[in-house]
Amino acid sequence: MTTLHLYNTYSRKTEEFRSIHDKIVGLYVCGPTVYGPPHLGHVRGPVVFDVLRRYFLHLGYKVRHVRNITDVGHIVGDADDGEDKLQKQAALEQIQPMEVAQIYTLSYNEMIRQMNVLPPSIEPLASGHIIEQIEMIESIIKAGFAYEVHGSVYFDVIGYSKNHEYGKLSGRVLDDLMAGAGNESRELEGQDEKRNANDFALWKKATPEHIMQWSSPWGKGYPGWHIECSAMSRKYLGDTFDIHGGGMDLLFPHHTGEIAQSTACTGHNPANYWMHHNMITINGQKMAKSLNNGIQVTELFSGNHPLLEQAYSPMTLRFFILMAHYRGTLDFSNEALKAAEKGLQRLFNAAELAKNLVASDSSDFDIKSIETSIYASLNDDLNTPQAIAQLFEAARITNVVNDGKGKINAEGIQLLQHIFSEILTNILGIIPESNTSNNALDGVMQMLLNMRKQAKEEKNYALSDQIRNQLSELGFEIKDGKDGSSWSLV
RNA sequence: GGUCGGAUGGCCGAGUGGCUAGGCACAGGUCUGCAAAACCUUUUACAGCGGUUCGAAUCCGCUUCCGACCUCCA
């Protein structure tokens, strides 16, 4: 494919991407609810949409990327009291709800910064857009698609579906939803106020115990879960924008609700393309509290978790995520992560070598076709694993040429360098991680390596091996190459 | 129960009718005082049964298993 195509969940087809405005893209991605530390499930979306954004930039688009922070709690479904999720956590830790939100907003942003995810253009807080949400609810009421009961406002799903396809995005039929609704133990607060069990809250009346509540035309309360994204995407990207993204778990009800709300308000679907990344699994199982396999991102980075055999770096995690296509499930295991770690190192090594290749008059390799197929892969719904496979081919060629077992001309070298710098670094966002060492440590290590080199030259292998073995015990790995030795911390 | 999506070699993971995915591991080799590292080469596959076709991992049907969602979710 020579132009970018993306899979649109709304049409269930891969479509050619065409922006509403020439060379400008509006991208809205659902961000985290900041009530707990970020776990592995939180990282995939940011990385996937970061690559999409970087690719747009590469293609010459200007991108406005909006990613919200949900700091307004929602009803807790599995609790018996329906209290605000943020409030609950706050009570547990004896701190303010906004303090909880702040702590986890910071840790979320720190996490994705380490993974080289570009910060969004705008990162709006739900709590900072209560007025916009209230205004939107009012216009939905005015349009006749919502009703107020005892200080709460609900979206009228039945009324809406008379002239709209409510369940289209998620492939659901309203009759099925109605048959399934309310047949479980799940008892939501205010369920009996609704005209229909499928109606969802736009605004919820707050009880006095609710710390987070705001004044509204319907009394003190707080916004429903879906309205924030509708209100904020509309404010910053307009009534219609290009892409709305998120996890597949948001398909229903969140994005379904968003489409209904916006349509009720503006008359049409807010986004032209709906993109959804798949979920992750751990050792083939879903990540769940009950399975005790929930891994926090900081635990992955430190290796401090019973399921982890070692620490994995942020860049390893990023690369690992991109080795799978975003619409498939992604399985975490030590074996798979280690494979990603080693493979990534191989690419980094080759990217370094490519900077110093010697040109020949002729070339044994067709680098241009590699580049072409990389772009074809990215254009095909962001097929990063295929693109990465081609990067490994470029790495292999680089190594062969570097070993003097193949020839390449100056143009080929330039292309190789371009592939590593543009594709690997700029589009995939994979950058070498700075060594955790400092200057003093570097100096000491260089000294030891020099001493060992001298011992080797004097054929004092007892001493050279002693240096290597003792360093090894301390966790340093010594690598002897043609041009001297190097070291790394294992 | 309803809806949707899966099942690919030891592990991860692309591929949608004929042509090598790729990474890691394993194995062989190069290099090396030795070892490691690095590099090169390379074997094993398409859940099961049936059908369509000259030809199926790919299309169709059935079966088995797995997952997600069904008003907290990334």
Side-chain angles (χ1 to χ4, degrees):
Chain A
M1 291 182 179
T2 51
T3 58
L4 177 60
H5 288 61
L6 297 171
Y7 182 82
N8 188 349
T9 314
Y10 194 74
S11 65
R12 307 211 169 253
K13 287 190 182 86
T14 302
E15 304 172 354
E16 180 172 14
F17 177 77
R18 283 167 203 243
S19 58
I20 295 167
H21 304 288
D22 190 38
K23 288 294 171 190
I24 299 176
V25 176
L27 171 65
Y28 188 94
V29 179
C30 289
T33 303
V34 283
Y35 68 96
H39 57 69
L40 290 185
H42 287 113
V43 301
R44 195 173 192 187
V47 169
V48 165
F49 289 107
D50 186 55
V51 170
L52 178 65
R53 179 185 180 187
R54 286 167 178 272
Y55 192 42
F56 275 130
L57 293 174
H58 177 86
L59 295 174
Y61 287 89
K62 184 182 164 200
V63 182
R64 178 176 289 168
H65 173 32
V66 179
R67 187 181 62 221
N68 65 298
I69 294 284
T70 300
D71 61 345
V72 176
H74 302 303
I75 307 298
V76 176
D78 53 358
D80 52 0
D81 52 3
E83 73 185 308
D84 189 295
K85 192 189 271 179
L86 280 167
Q87 183 190 338
K88 192 178 179 189
Q89 184 73 9
L92 211 62
E93 300 182 6
Q94 293 297 309
I95 52 175
Q96 279 292 313
M98 287 307 280
E99 204 173 345
V100 175
Q102 176 72 358
I103 287 168
Y104 295 124
T105 300
L106 289 174
S107 58
Y108 178 81
N109 280 328
E110 170 59 15
M111 162 194 97
I112 57 177
R113 185 196 63 78
Q114 289 183 72
M115 295 177 72
N116 198 30
V117 171
L118 297 169
S121 321
I122 301 176
E123 189 170 48
L125 304 182
S127 64
H129 296 75
I130 300 296
I131 291 169
E132 287 85 348
Q133 296 179 68
I134 289 173
E135 284 173 356
M136 196 161 190
I137 294 168
E138 284 182 311
S139 61
I140 295 172
I141 294 175
K142 214 171 280 175
F145 292 110
Y147 55 92
E148 187 215 338
V149 186
H150 306 316
S152 292
V153 181
Y154 297 100
F155 190 89
D156 178 13
V157 170
I158 303 283
Y160 175 82
S161 8
K162 280 177 188 157
N163 293 308
H164 302 89
E165 292 179 278
Y166 174 68
K168 176 168 181 187
L169 181 72
S170 53
R172 266 155 234 257
V173 180
L174 189 60
D175 288 346
D176 295 334
L177 288 171
M178 290 174 70
N183 66 351
E184 305 209 352
S185 57
R186 215 186 280 269
E187 266 305 318
L188 285 169
E189 187 187 6
Q191 194 72 299
D192 50 347
E193 301 182 339
K194 296 182 187 176
R195 291 181 192 167
N196 182 278
N198 290 292
D199 291 353
F200 57 88
L202 296 173
W203 186 264
K204 286 292 292 179
K205 179 191 174 79
T207 56
E209 299 87 71
H210 268 97
I211 300 171
M212 298 183 90
Q213 53 176 278
W214 291 266
S215 294
S216 79
W218 317 284
K220 295 266 187 181
Y222 54 95
W225 176 32
H226 318 307
I227 195 70
E228 60 170 283
C229 288
S230 296
M232 297 191 296
S233 63
R234 188 184 184 195
K235 173 163 184 170
Y236 297 113
L237 298 173
D239 283 355
T240 311
F241 52 94
D242 296 296
I243 301 172
H244 190 124
M248 278 185 184
D249 52 339
L250 298 178
L251 229 39
F252 187 91
H254 185 56
H255 290 165
T256 302
E258 273 189 63
I259 290 175
Q261 290 164 352
S262 294
T263 305
C265 206
T266 68
H268 51 76
N269 186 331
N272 285 152
Y273 302 85
W274 288 83
M275 292 178 66
H276 295 91
H277 63 83
N278 215 318
M279 306 288 101
I280 65 151
T281 55
I282 294 182
N283 294 320
Q285 286 186 300
K286 68 170 174 176
M287 194 169 76
K289 267 185 189 157
S290 57
L291 294 169
N292 224 5
N293 63 354
I295 300 178
Q296 292 173 18
V297 179
T298 50
E299 291 172 336
L300 189 88
F301 292 167
S302 69
N304 184 24
H305 188 282
L307 289 174
L308 298 174
E309 292 169 11
Q310 62 170 79
Y312 301 98
S313 72
M315 221 29 78
T316 298
L317 178 56
R318 182 178 179 113
F319 185 64
F320 177 68
I321 288 169
L322 296 177
M323 288 225 300
H325 188 255
Y326 74 91
R327 285 197 290 119
T329 52
L330 173 66
D331 190 50
F332 278 75
S333 65
N334 281 288
E335 265 189 302
L337 283 162
K338 280 184 207 168
E341 184 179 53
K342 295 204 73 165
L344 179 60
Q345 198 54 51
R346 183 173 154 83
L347 287 182
F348 282 151
N349 289 345
E352 269 311 296
L353 287 177
K355 292 175 183 169
N356 299 308
L357 291 180
V358 179
S360 305
D361 292 335
S362 62
S363 187
D364 300 335
F365 307 101
D366 181 6
I367 312 297
K368 190 70 193 170
S369 72
I370 292 178
E371 188 189 46
T372 303
S373 73
I374 289 176
Y375 283 116
S377 299
L378 292 174
N379 285 335
D380 184 10
D381 193 29
L382 219 59
N383 194 328
T384 52
Q386 268 191 356
I388 287 171
Q390 292 300 313
L391 285 177
F392 278 109
E393 176 64 11
R396 200 197 107 247
I397 292 169
T398 301
N399 289 327
V400 167
V401 172
N402 185 60
D403 287 351
K405 290 171 183 164
K407 285 184 295 184
I408 192 170
N409 57 22
E411 188 192 358
I413 292 175
Q414 272 211 325
L415 271 169
L416 277 177
Q417 292 169 347
H418 180 261
I419 284 172
F420 287 121
S421 67
E422 278 306 310
I423 312 292
L424 182 65
T425 305
N426 289 343
I427 297 175
L428 298 182
I430 306 281
I431 52 171
E433 285 163 305
S434 61
N435 208 316
T436 50
S437 70
N438 54 47
N439 287 340
L441 182 60
D442 279 341
V444 170
M445 289 303 295
Q446 206 49 57
M447 188 175 80
L448 284 166
L449 290 182
N450 285 340
M451 287 168 70
R452 176 161 170 271
K453 186 182 171 197
Q454 196 181 338
K456 281 169 69 174
E457 280 165 1
E458 292 164 1
K459 299 210 188 298
N460 184 353
Y461 295 124
L463 178 60
S464 70
D465 286 354
Q466 187 190 350
I467 293 172
R468 183 176 66 196
N469 293 340
Q470 289 190 357
L471 283 173
S472 168
E473 280 172 27
L474 292 169
F476 293 91
E477 185 177 45
I478 304 307
K479 300 166 184 172
D480 291 345
K482 273 182 181 163
D483 309 317
S485 303
S486 63
W487 63 277
S488 64
L489 262 172
V490 181

